[in-house]
Amino acid sequence: MIKDGQVKELRRMLDMGRSLVTSARIANMSRTTARSYRDDDRLQSQRDKPRNYRTRMDPFEQVWPQVQQRLQTEPKLQAVTLFGWLQDTFPGEYPDSVRRTFERRVLEWRSLNGPGKPVIFPQDHHPGRLAASDFTVLNKLAVTIAGVRFEHTLFHCVLTYSNVESVSLCFSESFEALSSGIQKAFWEFGGVPQRHRTDSLSAAINNHSSRKQLTDRYAALMDYYHCRSEHTNARCANENGDVESSNGHLKNTIDQALLLRGSRDFSSREQYLCFVENLIAKRNRGRAVRFAEEQSRLATLPETRLDTDDIQRDIRVSKSSTIQVRKNTYSVPSRLIGQIVDAKIGAEWIDITHHGSPVQRMERILGVKGTNIHYRHIIDSLLRKPGAFANYRYREDLFPTAHFRMAYDQLSEAHRQQKADKNYIQLLALAARESETAVQDALRLTIQRGDAIDVEKIRRLVEQAAEIPAVTDVQVDTPQLFEYDDLLNYPDMEIPCDDEKHDPQEETGGEDAIEVFVESEPDRTADRPIPRASSAEFSGSVRTFCDTSGEGEPQSLGIPLGANCCQPRSDRIYRSFSAELLS
């Protein structure tokens, strides 16, 4: 088909004095076609006439009244559904080759006779009037922390006039995450907008009420900042379009930055957060002019942020040394069985207190019906009743790392079930009373060697690793500045060695030498659980990296190292096992 560009090229050649044959060849058309366009001033698009007639028989002429009746009765019926109904009603008459014709016919009917569609009303934004927020999941970015997949969510808040944005890391759409994100955004903006808009989140809106009222905690948060709350209707993302659109741009920005970085792995969560915050700061720099105008219209911030962490009081510790917090099960020290404790629930952590005294801090479980059982809380009872381990409801939580699980599997293969359970409980007791990292390293070394798991052998390895290694003293002589003069005297040759001329020991007297203590620590990220990183390798819950006693209390593992230094026992273990592995 001839295009308008070809016609223009033909006429340009003719205007230059070229012959019709040459001009037609250059314009890639026949001589007859070129002659018709030479004698007609119209372009091809102007010569085309819209066709409003059929070139073939309508295959749906007989059944269209029935189809139209069904569309009028139920406008939500899709064309593919109706076409399937036609094929079932009239077998063999409507092959799949005419389906597109039917879909175009239905689309034309909807455009002329169908119901109206929702209308999007573009809004004019005013400085300081509205901030919109939303949660956006970033799991598809495949970010990893120390090689472990990092599943996370960002709370995203945007000032709709200047589009200046703020993000905060979270792991669920809880009220604590919502409150933390809103307050962080307001303080980064340097003021409070008149209104704040969210989706119909259960953390902010009581969706079970016919009037869609705010929850008490969210209403108190908005009253504290003197900010009026708004929320969108359910399943109407376009009503919060400013932040919804910005979510997509933010994900694309992070993804492109990760591609440019060449790696999606970060050494720590802090490094990843710094990476994201730098991207946000770069995006906000281009909005500085409008933000300066908007910031002057924001209301004044209060003196301090509002503490919105929920407190669940009067929780009785069960006989299994567990408590229920937000439909999840957590273990506490067994000495609290039958006592009453309180739980302060934050976005990521839960603090347990007993009559105001702190008991422990534990990581908050996402969702419901989860468990976080710490073996140190129940190990003493397990030693007295090892038969309870086989069918213990929370047994999977008693494998702190993958090597503990591998050790238990090997014990189960080598011994009968009762003896395997008893030996594994003794390993847990050793980890609770000595050091979990020491037992972990001993198990790893034993498994790598292919040796059988023996409790006494593991105990000896732990004791051997706990011995204090000799401190390496390195003496560094104080440099003398006049020695550098030789570089000027002999710029192109080696400096002559004259031990009698410059004796650093004589000049310093050996008393001002600097003592440097060098301690090497090998990489231990292979079996270390990463906070907030989901991995099927670690069957136990994520815990903080500290050794505790049998009741979950911290125990001192440090030894003096040089002057005013403290070396944990776990660091000493690493050196011993690293030397043994390298040999």
Side-chain angles (χ1 to χ4, degrees):
M1 181 178 179
I2 302 300
K3 305 295 183 182
D4 287 352
Q6 295 175 265
V7 178
K8 292 178 181 180
E9 182 67 15
L10 171 69
R11 291 173 180 171
R12 190 174 70 85
M13 293 293 104
L14 293 173
D15 292 341
M16 293 174 60
R18 302 285 182 88
S19 64
L20 180 64
V21 176
T22 303
S23 300
R25 185 172 64 251
I26 295 175
N28 194 20
M29 64 178 67
S30 68
R31 184 173 55 182
T32 304
T33 304
R35 184 180 293 109
S36 68
Y37 283 107
R38 183 194 63 181
D39 300 336
D40 191 349
D41 294 336
R42 296 175 299 171
L43 297 173
Q44 176 63 34
S45 59
Q46 297 171 339
R47 299 171 66 175
D48 290 340
K49 294 181 180 180
R51 178 171 59 85
N52 53 12
Y53 56 89
R54 298 190 60 85
T55 59
R56 66 187 67 181
M57 183 180 298
D58 183 6
F60 303 101
E61 182 177 2
Q62 300 297 328
V63 297
W64 185 250
Q66 303 178 43
V67 174
Q68 187 174 356
Q69 182 179 2
R70 284 189 171 274
L71 286 172
Q72 291 174 344
T73 304
E74 185 50 72
K76 293 183 180 180
L77 280 173
Q78 297 180 358
V80 64
T81 304
L82 289 172
F83 186 74
W85 167 72
L86 286 178
Q87 289 181 321
D88 294 339
T89 307
F90 306 96
E93 294 189 20
Y94 299 102
D96 292 339
S97 59
V98 298
R99 196 187 81 174
R100 284 294 299 140
T101 303
F102 181 77
E103 290 177 345
R104 287 192 296 269
R105 187 78 179 270
V106 172
L107 179 62
E108 181 182 356
W109 181 89
R110 292 188 193 278
S111 301
L112 298 176
N113 306 291
K117 298 179 180 179
V119 179
I120 303 299
F121 299 96
Q123 301 290 298
D124 290 329
H125 299 289
H126 304 276
R129 182 171 296 183
L130 177 64
S133 64
D134 188 26
F135 290 95
T136 178
V137 181
L138 270 65
N139 293 341
K140 291 186 178 180
L141 295 181
V143 175
T144 59
I145 304 295
V148 181
R149 185 177 178 87
F150 186 54
E151 296 185 351
H152 62 290
T153 301
L154 288 181
F155 177 82
H156 193 194
C157 187
V158 178
L159 289 172
T160 59
Y161 177 76
S162 63
N163 285 331
V164 168
E165 52 194 344
S166 171
V167 297
S168 57
L169 180 67
C170 54
F171 302 92
S172 65
E173 297 185 5
S174 63
F175 172 77
E176 289 77 16
L178 175 66
S179 172
S180 176
I182 291 176
Q183 297 194 73
K184 178 179 181 290
F186 286 176
W187 285 82
E188 287 183 350
F189 296 155
V192 182
Q194 297 178 16
R195 306 197 309 266
H196 175 256
R197 179 184 296 162
T198 66
D199 294 341
S200 296
L201 302 170
S202 59
I205 310 300
N206 185 7
N207 293 308
H208 297 290
S209 172
S210 58
R211 299 181 61 184
K212 300 287 184 180
Q213 297 177 346
L214 302 180
T215 60
D216 294 339
R217 300 174 69 193
Y218 181 64
L221 176 64
M222 291 292 99
D223 290 342
Y224 180 78
Y225 283 95
H226 303 290
C227 181
R228 195 170 71 222
S229 173
E230 296 179 357
H231 65 89
T232 64
N233 293 309
R235 295 175 295 279
C236 292
N238 60 282
E239 296 180 2
N240 208 17
D242 296 277
V243 69
E244 292 284 354
S245 175
S246 187
N247 283 344
H249 296 307
L250 175 61
K251 290 180 181 179
N252 183 67
T253 299
I254 297 177
D255 185 49
Q256 291 296 309
L258 291 171
L259 291 173
L260 189 63
R261 183 174 180 264
S263 173
R264 297 176 182 267
D265 185 66
F266 296 84
S267 60
S268 64
R269 193 174 83 171
E270 289 71 22
Q271 184 189 15
Y272 172 66
L273 289 179
C274 183
F275 173 79
V276 174
E277 291 289 354
N278 288 337
L279 293 178
I280 296 298
K282 184 178 180 180
R283 285 164 59 89
N284 287 337
R285 278 196 293 268
R287 305 155 179 163
V289 176
R290 291 175 68 89
F291 178 62
E293 180 184 359
E294 183 163 30
Q295 196 173 33
S296 62
R297 306 289 185 89
L298 297 175
T300 305
L301 288 165
E303 294 183 359
T304 59
R305 300 190 186 190
L306 181 64
D307 185 5
T308 56
D309 290 348
D310 188 22
I311 298 180
Q312 189 172 339
R313 301 186 183 278
D314 299 335
I315 307 174
R316 185 172 295 279
V317 181
S318 68
K319 294 182 179 179
S320 59
S321 192
T322 59
I323 58 175
Q324 292 287 327
V325 179
R326 296 278 182 89
K327 299 181 180 180
N328 290 311
T329 304
Y330 302 86
S331 67
V332 296
S334 59
R335 60 177 176 270
L336 292 174
I337 290 178
Q339 300 298 313
I340 298 296
V341 296
D342 299 330
K344 184 178 181 181
I345 307 171
E348 297 187 47
W349 301 97
I350 298 178
D351 294 312
I352 304 298
T353 59
H354 177 59
H355 293 303
S357 300
V359 174
Q360 70 180 23
R361 163 173 278 202
M362 51 197 182
E363 189 177 2
R364 179 177 175 179
I365 301 174
L366 304 181
V368 296
K369 296 183 180 180
T371 59
N372 185 350
I373 308 299
H374 203 302
Y375 66 91
R376 301 179 190 272
H377 296 155
I378 59 175
I379 189 62
D380 293 335
S381 297
L382 271 178
L383 286 172
R384 293 191 295 268
K385 303 176 182 179
F389 181 80
N391 297 314
Y392 183 46
R393 181 179 300 174
Y394 311 119
R395 190 184 70 168
E396 294 303 317
D397 282 1
L398 302 185
F399 301 106
T401 67
H403 283 88
F404 277 85
R405 179 73 206 203
M406 294 167 64
Y408 176 72
D409 292 339
Q410 290 191 17
L411 288 171
S412 299
E413 293 176 359
H415 308 284
R416 55 189 178 87
Q417 191 64 44
Q418 292 181 351
K419 185 176 181 180
D421 293 347
K422 184 176 181 180
N423 289 344
Y424 180 73
I425 292 173
Q426 291 177 359
L427 290 177
L428 284 181
L430 183 62
R433 293 169 182 172
E434 294 295 332
S435 169
E436 180 180 308
T437 54
V439 177
Q440 155 66 30
D441 287 341
L443 291 174
R444 177 170 53 196
L445 181 62
T446 303
I447 293 173
Q448 287 178 349
R449 289 177 172 177
D451 298 340
I453 302 297
D454 181 79
V455 177
E456 292 303 321
K457 181 179 178 180
I458 298 298
R459 193 189 310 275
R460 287 194 301 270
L461 287 174
V462 171
E463 293 174 354
Q464 178 184 356
E467 294 179 357
I468 302 175
V471 178
T472 303
D473 296 338
V474 179
Q475 178 173 316
V476 179
D477 296 330
T478 304
Q480 301 299 322
L481 296 180
F482 62 80
E483 294 179 354
Y484 293 93
D485 294 339
D486 293 332
L487 297 176
L488 301 176
N489 298 330
Y490 304 94
D492 299 325
M493 63 185 69
E494 295 183 358
I495 301 174
C497 180
D498 188 358
D499 295 337
E500 297 180 357
K501 182 178 179 181
H502 304 297
D503 190 352
Q505 186 68 23
E506 292 181 0
E507 294 170 359
T508 59
E511 295 178 356
D512 298 330
I514 302 173
E515 292 186 349
V516 179
F517 301 101
V518 179
E519 294 294 338
S520 62
E521 180 178 345
D523 185 14
R524 301 254 5 280
T525 60
D527 279 290
R528 183 179 64 188
I530 303 300
R532 292 298 182 186
S534 61
S535 174
E537 181 183 0
F538 307 110
S539 56
S541 58
V542 180
R543 300 179 177 90
T544 56
F545 309 123
C546 63
D547 289 308
T548 57
S549 64
E551 290 295 344
E553 297 175 343
Q555 62 179 352
S556 175
L557 298 178
I559 60 172
L561 178 62
N564 300 324
C565 293
C566 181
Q567 176 76 2
R569 178 184 300 180
S570 58
D571 292 343
R572 306 198 305 274
I573 295 166
Y574 301 159
R575 292 195 302 276
S576 177
F577 282 120
S578 295
E580 196 163 3
L581 286 173
L582 291 174
S583 63

